[in-house]
Amino acid sequence: MKRFLELIKDCMHTVKELMPWDLEERLQANPDILLVDVREPYEYEAMHIRDSLLVPRGILESACEWNYEETEPELVMARNREVVVVCRSGQRSVLAANSLQVLGFKNVASLETGIRGWKDYDLPLVDGEGNDVDLDDADEYFTAHVREDQLRPKDWVDPV
């Protein structure tokens, strides 16, 4: 049985990653890059990179194909475009980039460190209405809020 981080590590052998400053340069060199944000709608609404396309991880694969309720035409037609996948910390985006590669996307990368790293590099974020997000206020959003019931019990024995 693999754990979440092991699954990500396995995908990293084939998924290219870009640091925020590299993506900033790539966007200047190629404004046609498609940024695909795979976070949940409430996360995207709070803050995202301007002009990114929201395609939550849970519907990504069907969003890449015609004839589904989740179909995102811009994404379907992007198989030969440069695509950079974005999430909060750079983990979900690795899994999503791997899926896109399996589905025939030719030039895919994941934003290493996610929008958290983008913010730490002082690059701009906007909210769901397109307003600039105060990067100092964004720190609260990036603070983990793990509930007590989500913590591993002290007496937990892995079933492996």
Side-chain angles (χ1 to χ4, degrees), residues 105-117:
F105 286 75
K106 306 290 186 224
N107 188 1
V108 181
S110 169
L111 178 60
E112 189 171 348
T113 71
I115 66 164
R116 175 182 288 154

Side-chain angles (χ1 to χ4, degrees), residues 94-137:
V94 167
L95 296 175
N98 182 71
S99 289
L100 291 177
Q101 289 174 334
V102 169
L103 292 171
F105 286 75
K106 306 290 186 224
N107 188 1
V108 181
S110 169
L111 178 60
E112 189 171 348
T113 71
I115 66 164
R116 175 182 288 154
W118 183 264
K119 182 214 68 83
D120 288 346
Y121 193 60
D122 293 327
L123 294 167
L125 294 166
V126 296
D127 64 19
E129 296 176 359
N131 301 312
D132 290 337
V133 171
D134 183 322
L135 297 182
D136 290 331
D137 293 342

Side-chain angles (χ1 to χ4, degrees), residues 18 23 26-27 33-37 82-86 100 107-111:
L18 296 175
L23 177 54
R26 290 296 314 127
L27 287 168
I33 290 174
L34 178 60
L35 294 177
V36 177
D37 192 320
E82 186 173 358
V83 176
V84 178
V85 186
V86 177
L100 291 177
N107 188 1
V108 181
S110 169
L111 178 60

Side-chain angles (χ1 to χ4, degrees), residues 138-152:
D139 286 335
E140 174 60 24
Y141 170 82
F142 291 113
T143 302
H145 299 283
V146 180
R147 298 185 317 261
E148 185 70 30
D149 66 312
Q150 293 173 317
L151 297 173
R152 180 192 305 247

Side-chain angles (χ1 to χ4, degrees), residues 37-64:
D37 192 320
V38 295
R39 295 174 303 139
E40 295 300 312
Y42 74 91
E43 294 176 286
Y44 184 86
E45 184 71 19
M47 66 190 69
H48 60 272
I49 300 172
R50 187 179 300 282
D51 298 325
S52 58
L53 175 67
L54 173 64
V55 182
R57 177 75 190 93
I59 64 164
L60 179 66
E61 290 78 6
S62 57
C64 294

